[in-house]
Amino acid sequence: MEIETIPNRYPNLNTTVTIITPFVNACPHSGEPGEGSTINITYQPKEKLIGLRAVKAFLDELARGDDPLDLETVVQLVAIACKEALGDTVKVEGIYKLRDNLGMVCSVTL
């Protein structure tokens, strides 16, 4: 699995990008995380930009996988894939809403 990129037309501009995408019902047993949970990807693009549809496809593939993943591992896998795709520093943060009014934030910077 990899994250697709597109060329950045203006690599010399000091730009910060944050992609915010919903991530819910990934666990087939618990239905966690709940509605309102997101995966946020922040980076400063140089030559490449992350394709928005690529992020959704990557997360959908993780959620459909045969191997159930804990929510921390999801953030780690997204960070690794984004770092490999961009070759630049990336921060990935999972903001999860869980049952019983619990929440969790997990972040990785590579």
Side-chain angles (χ1 to χ4, degrees), residues 40 42 72 75-77 79-80 90-94 106-110:
N40 305 335
T42 303
E72 296 86 351
V75 170
Q76 294 165 343
L77 290 172
I80 291 166
V90 63
K91 178 181 180 181
V92 177
E93 183 175 60
C106 178
S107 65
V108 174
T109 301
L110 295 176

Side-chain angles (χ1 to χ4, degrees), residues 16-32:
T16 299
V17 176
T18 300
I19 298 169
I20 302 168
T21 185
F23 187 68
V24 297
N25 302 324
C27 178
H29 306 292
S30 69
E32 300 282 22

Side-chain angles (χ1 to χ4, degrees), residues 12-72:
N12 296 324
L13 292 179
N14 184 12
T15 304
T16 299
V17 176
T18 300
I19 298 169
I20 302 168
T21 185
F23 187 68
V24 297
N25 302 324
C27 178
H29 306 292
S30 69
E32 300 282 22
E35 202 65 40
S37 298
T38 62
I39 299 287
N40 305 335
I41 303 165
T42 303
Y43 65 102
Q44 293 186 312
K46 293 188 175 97
E47 300 301 318
K48 302 176 198 175
L49 300 165
I50 293 174
L52 297 178
R53 287 188 180 97
V55 172
K56 182 176 178 353
F58 186 88
L59 290 171
D60 287 348
E61 192 170 336
L62 283 179
R64 283 192 315 267
D66 294 334
D67 183 24
L69 300 173
D70 57 79
L71 298 176
E72 296 86 351

